[in-house]
Amino acid sequence: MNSTSPIGQPLPRVDGRLKVTGQAKYAAEFEIPGLLHGSVVNSTIARGRVRRIDTTAAEAVAGVVLVLTHENRPPVASYDEPYQDDDAADGSPFRPLYNDRVLYSGQPLALVVAESLELARYAGSLVRIEYDVEPHQTDLAAVREQAHPAPEEVPSRGDFEAAYRGAPLQIDHEYGTPIEHHNPMEPHASTVHYQPGDELIIYDKTQGVQNCMRYVEGVFGLEGKVQVRSPFVGGAFGSGLRPQYQLPLAVMAALKLKRSVRVVLKRQQMFTFGYRPRTLQRLAIGFSPNGRLEALHHGSLGQTSRFEDFTEHEVEWSGALYACDNVQLEYKLGSLDVYTPIDMRAPGAAIGVYALEAAMDEVAYAAAIDPLQLRLRNYTGINGNQGKPYSSKELRACYEQGAERFGWSRRPLEARSMRDGHELIGWGMATGVWEAMQMPASAKACLAADGRLIVSSATADIGTGTYTVMTQIAASALGLPMDRVEFRLGDSRFAQAPLEGGSATVSSVGSAVHQACVGLREKILDAAQQSPASPFTGASLDDVAFEDGELVLKRDPARRVPLAQLIQTSGTLEAEASVKPGDEREKYATGTHSAIFVEVRVDEALGTVRVTRVVSAVAAGKVINPKTAASQILGGVVWGIGMALHEETWTDHRLGRYMNHNLAEYHVPVNADIHDIDVFFVEEQDSVVNDLGSKGVGEIGIVGVAAAVANAIYHATGKRVRDLPITPDKLL
């Protein structure tokens, strides 16, 4: 890193101008000559068979080219042996238009393809479907007794039963979380540019272009014929990790018609695939009068589809976050006539830590101990599930600095003890935790003829700032100004990259970008040494510096050469690097941690809740860009407030159908709901997690927020609501 390194600087987004001026193109915005448009027709029942599909009226509409159903779809290579994508759950993945079976309400049953989107949607309304209806079940509580263990084992330790029976104090409660849907601004869309010989260029809304490429190649037997591009994504939050059904439908239509086809889902159809699953979680904790945890049981029942077992890390956090010798963890699944859930921001942790941290608040009140002191009393530097120390864990600093900024020391212990007129005031807090993951990744760096540095990797930017931080990492490595560096992403032809999820992109792809630039430094120095009279003859990389676009000899800084001049002599220079987690990581547990402090005001007569202050203190290693990182945390806090007070997908179990599948009735926080949010990062050094010492921040922002809000509401009102969201009817 050079002395003027952009790493650690709060720089604006390099793609910001493109976005605010409308020049950034998304999956449904690429123009292709002769493009056809598809509209999906979805099932209106939750379970049964299609007896008959009448497409006559739709096909009679002028401009309609095709109505695709299970009866006339083209052959699909992998439908007898379903192809698993990179984010698939255990089981048999959903195959659109596979046969006449209806597996869930909203299942795609037909695709109308027409000359325009309006025609396609109108014709889709004319398709008539007759069903043989079968009894369905969509209520998780109703299948509690039929639940089966999740396929992924969860660790337990000690003797919970004996320790719990012998504990002086005990709590035992159930906490519920509802179905939530991602609802990114950009709907899912796929534009398939058909070319002769069944070669396809696909523009897709995805968090992993290479995953989609492999999926299409595998499903349709098109190896080597598919390129997927996704330069910009208008939010995803996990909904783009798996290929959604509009992609294979668009490919089917393109292959059958030998023409280019676009399929865009409507907002209502954004509720017809993955979501955050409903859970019922039990926390039973035995503890001493001074608040020491002696026994902890965390069991979760989560919903899944009948064709896949979707498993989250919901309960493991309870075995990792606090010191306790006797821990029993259990995770079961209830199979329902629904689509499979999918990862949603901080999957597992957002809901699992909610239950844990709400239960810890109940422990604090039962032991008459300040909730922050309770957490400090049970603090540990070891991940109990793994029996390993953390590579770094500045959670204690998060507690201390966050409490200071919030003014926590002035908090009275008693509930219903603070009031301002007709409003009850409450202060609550919670801990946040997420994994600090790294996955194998590659990147390519090229010093072009004009002296610009072009770096590429097949990663994504779903709004997190990937373009910007990768540009910062590359600029720092070669001592170039930011405007002389271009980072390219979202193309399956680029160097291998993992799915953009799990807060692992900077750790994984960022490390590859850094290493590729280090490799390029070697080639630049080698090129500079080609002349016999070169001042760099015999110099090693330790003897030189890269500053202000120049190669500099450290012992004689007057001896320097501009990289642009060097490249004119040597020609374009390139380097590619692949990285994976180092062996040193195996000795440690790794994680990102936070402490969240919340103030609420509750109208005593109306039961309405305002979250008036939030302080979020985060320990995330080396923060590459504090501006974009803080923005991620802010967004997570807003979502956590929504999770606590607003978000819930309602199911009419008589129909097995979602009732509020729109943005009018699916409630999310708006500007008027959000007040003062103070985000800051505590100092944390970590030489183990990756070469950059950086941990991701995309997920950690939401974890613990809902619990902190719920705990603040209890402190304000003295009423404990354990089922999210906490709405006025529950408080009254």
Side-chain angles (χ1 to χ4, degrees):
M1 310 302 178
N2 62 74
S3 58
T4 57
S5 170
I7 286 183
Q9 301 301 314
L11 301 179
R13 293 172 182 264
V14 298
D15 54 329
R17 181 175 293 275
L18 291 175
K19 288 184 173 179
V20 300
T21 58
Q23 297 177 73
K25 282 195 172 184
Y26 296 82
E29 295 183 321
F30 288 89
E31 293 304 320
I32 297 168
L35 182 69
L36 298 173
H37 299 265
S39 180
V40 179
V41 179
N42 303 86
S43 72
T44 57
I45 67 168
R47 186 178 182 185
R49 288 185 179 274
V50 175
R51 184 191 308 150
R52 178 171 174 265
I53 298 182
D54 183 356
T55 62
T56 308
E59 291 168 332
V61 174
V64 171
V65 180
L66 171 70
V67 181
L68 198 64
T69 71
H70 70 278
E71 296 173 335
N72 67 338
R73 63 166 169 79
V76 179
S78 77
Y79 261 27
D80 290 330
E81 296 180 6
Y83 181 85
Q84 299 276 347
D85 68 271
D86 289 356
D87 199 51
D90 284 17
S92 177
F94 173 69
R95 291 162 283 177
L97 307 190
Y98 176 55
N99 57 20
D100 63 352
R101 291 290 313 173
V102 178
L103 304 175
Y104 68 98
S105 180
Q107 176 178 322
L109 298 181
L111 179 72
V112 179
V113 183
E115 298 291 345
S116 73
L117 177 60
E118 293 78 11
L119 276 175
R121 287 187 174 175
Y122 168 67
S125 71
L126 303 179
V127 175
R128 297 290 176 260
I129 304 177
E130 298 174 12
Y131 303 96
D132 290 324
V133 181
E134 299 173 8
H136 67 266
Q137 182 56 263
T138 55
D139 186 355
L140 180 64
V143 299
R144 188 189 290 261
E145 298 305 316
Q146 292 81 48
H148 60 279
E152 194 166 315
E153 291 187 17
V154 290
S156 294
R157 59 181 180 270
D159 187 340
F160 164 78
E161 296 292 349
Y164 184 73
R165 286 194 303 269
L169 297 171
Q170 302 166 339
I171 66 158
D172 189 344
H173 298 296
E174 185 171 273
Y175 303 84
T177 64
I179 292 171
E180 296 176 21
H181 278 83
H182 305 71
N183 279 311
M185 287 295 289
E186 180 198 11
H188 278 268
S190 300
T191 301
V192 179
H193 184 185
Y194 181 85
Q195 298 178 310
D198 289 348
E199 296 202 355
L200 308 178
I201 298 175
I202 301 173
Y203 300 94
D204 191 62
K205 185 227 175 76
T206 177
Q207 292 172 249
V209 287
Q210 290 175 329
N211 184 33
C212 286
M213 177 198 70
R214 287 188 291 268
Y215 172 81
V216 172
E217 287 185 342
V219 167
F220 294 96
L222 296 173
E223 187 173 354
K225 293 187 173 185
V226 179
Q227 178 189 354
V228 179
R229 298 174 181 170
S230 183
F232 295 97
V233 179
F237 311 117
S239 67
L241 290 171
R242 298 189 72 173
Q244 301 301 353
Y245 65 72
Q246 89 286 339
L247 174 60
L249 289 180
V251 171
M252 277 186 205
L255 292 175
K256 187 174 180 70
L257 295 169
K258 308 296 182 185
R259 291 186 62 180
S260 299
V261 177
R262 172 181 295 155
V263 179
V264 182
L265 298 187
K266 296 182 288 188
R267 178 57 58 181
Q268 289 85 351
Q269 291 169 328
M270 296 290 288
F271 288 76
T272 59
F273 50 84
Y275 51 89
R276 198 191 296 282
R278 171 158 169 68
T279 68
L280 299 170
Q281 301 178 63
R282 178 194 169 208
L283 266 293
I285 302 177
F287 51 99
S288 64
N290 69 358
R292 293 277 185 187
L293 301 186
E294 297 183 3
L296 188 154
H297 166 90
H298 188 170
S300 181
L301 170 64
Q303 77 174 58
T304 190
S305 66
R306 294 199 190 277
F307 47 90
E308 288 179 300
D309 276 350
F310 174 77
T311 307
E312 290 190 309
H313 295 280
E314 288 177 13
V315 299
E316 288 95 319
W317 313 100
S318 291
L321 197 47
Y322 298 110
C324 184
D325 293 332
N326 302 286
V327 175
Q328 184 183 73
L329 306 176
E330 182 180 53
Y331 186 22
K332 291 187 176 182
L333 298 174
S335 299
L336 299 170
D337 297 302
V338 296
Y339 192 78
T340 309
I342 194 173
D343 290 340
M344 188 173 186
R345 196 172 197 169
I351 50 183
V353 173
Y354 156 69
L356 170 64
E357 288 299 282
M360 287 293 285
D361 201 63
E362 303 209 42
V363 169
Y365 277 95
I369 297 172
D370 177 83
L372 175 56
Q373 291 304 314
L374 175 77
R375 286 162 174 81
L376 289 168
R377 194 158 292 172
N378 291 283
Y379 189 90
T380 177
I382 294 174
N383 182 316
N385 294 332
Q386 303 174 8
K388 297 178 181 179
Y390 281 95
S391 59
S392 61
K393 184 180 179 181
E394 292 295 339
L395 176 57
R396 194 183 296 275
C398 292
Y399 286 145
E400 294 168 353
Q401 295 176 35
E404 177 66 26
R405 287 173 80 135
F406 186 81
W408 184 262
S409 61
R410 302 192 304 273
R411 176 188 184 272
L413 192 62
E414 300 79 17
R416 290 185 69 91
S417 57
M418 297 196 298
R419 176 188 292 273
D420 181 9
H422 64 280
E423 289 185 314
L424 302 170
I425 301 173
W427 289 1
M429 62 85 57
T431 307
V433 60
W434 184 250
E435 302 165 272
M437 295 183 286
Q438 183 183 14
M439 292 175 278
S442 302
K444 182 178 181 180
C446 170
L447 195 60
D450 60 1
R452 287 186 311 129
L453 174 62
I454 299 171
V455 186
S456 59
S457 180
T459 186
D461 190 336
I462 58 174
T464 49
T466 306
Y467 276 112
T468 307
V469 295
M470 298 303 165
T471 303
Q472 289 176 262
I473 292 167
S476 175
L478 281 178
L480 287 165
M482 290 277 287
D483 61 6
R484 300 297 294 163
V485 179
E486 180 185 354
F487 181 69
R488 298 175 180 175
L489 55 73
D491 191 321
S492 59
R493 298 172 304 176
F494 291 165
Q496 180 272 329
L499 295 169
E500 184 176 67
S503 298
T505 300
V506 171
S507 179
S508 308
V509 179
S511 295
V513 166
H514 175 70
Q515 287 301 325
C517 291
V518 168
L520 190 56
R521 288 198 303 224
E522 295 177 359
K523 294 194 174 184
I524 291 170
L525 178 59
D526 183 62
Q529 293 172 334
Q530 294 308 305
S531 168
S534 170
F536 300 98
T537 300
S540 69
L541 277 177
D542 291 335
D543 300 324
V544 299
F546 291 81
E547 297 176 354
D548 301 321
E550 295 181 317
L551 177 66
V552 182
L553 194 63
K554 288 181 181 178
R555 66 173 179 269
D556 186 0
R559 294 183 177 272
R560 56 178 62 216
V561 59
L563 300 187
Q565 177 184 322
L566 187 63
I567 207 72
Q568 289 173 3
T569 305
S570 64
T572 300
L573 297 174
E574 294 181 349
E576 190 163 343
S578 297
V579 300
K580 61 182 180 179
D583 294 339
E584 187 72 7
R585 280 179 65 109
E586 291 299 313
K587 304 174 187 176
Y588 298 94
T590 57
T592 305
H593 295 86
S594 66
I596 306 101
F597 299 85
V598 167
E599 175 185 88
V600 300
R601 287 173 173 258
V602 183
D603 188 297
E604 191 172 18
L606 300 178
T608 53
V609 179
R610 292 191 300 138
V611 178
T612 47
R613 276 197 308 137
V614 180
V615 172
S616 178
V618 182
K622 177 69 175 176
V623 178
I624 305 297
N625 186 323
K627 185 174 185 177
T628 56
S631 180
Q632 286 294 293
I633 303 299
L634 282 168
V637 169
V638 171
W639 195 337
I641 293 171
M643 182 179 170
L645 303 177
H646 302 276
E647 288 199 49
E648 179 178 18
T649 307
W650 306 321
T651 305
D652 185 331
H653 296 302
R654 298 169 302 169
L655 302 173
R657 186 185 307 167
Y658 298 132
M659 304 306 294
N660 59 329
H661 56 310
N662 54 69
L663 290 184
E665 296 171 299
Y666 183 90
H667 294 164
V668 297
V670 297
N671 281 348
D673 297 307
I674 303 304
H675 299 276
D676 183 43
I677 301 176
D678 178 14
V679 171
F680 71 97
F681 297 97
V682 305
E683 192 73 26
E684 185 175 62
Q685 302 294 326
D686 196 318
S687 60
V688 173
V689 287
N690 53 64
D691 291 342
L692 301 168
S694 178
K695 304 177 182 180
V697 295
E699 325 281 345
I700 188 69
I702 189 177
V703 184
V705 176
V709 173
N711 296 341
I713 290 172
Y714 177 79
H715 185 240
T717 65
K719 182 166 185 177
R720 185 75 67 177
V721 179
R722 300 186 180 93
D723 283 311
L724 296 183
I726 303 174
T727 47
D729 57 306
K730 294 175 183 176
L731 280 175
L732 293 175

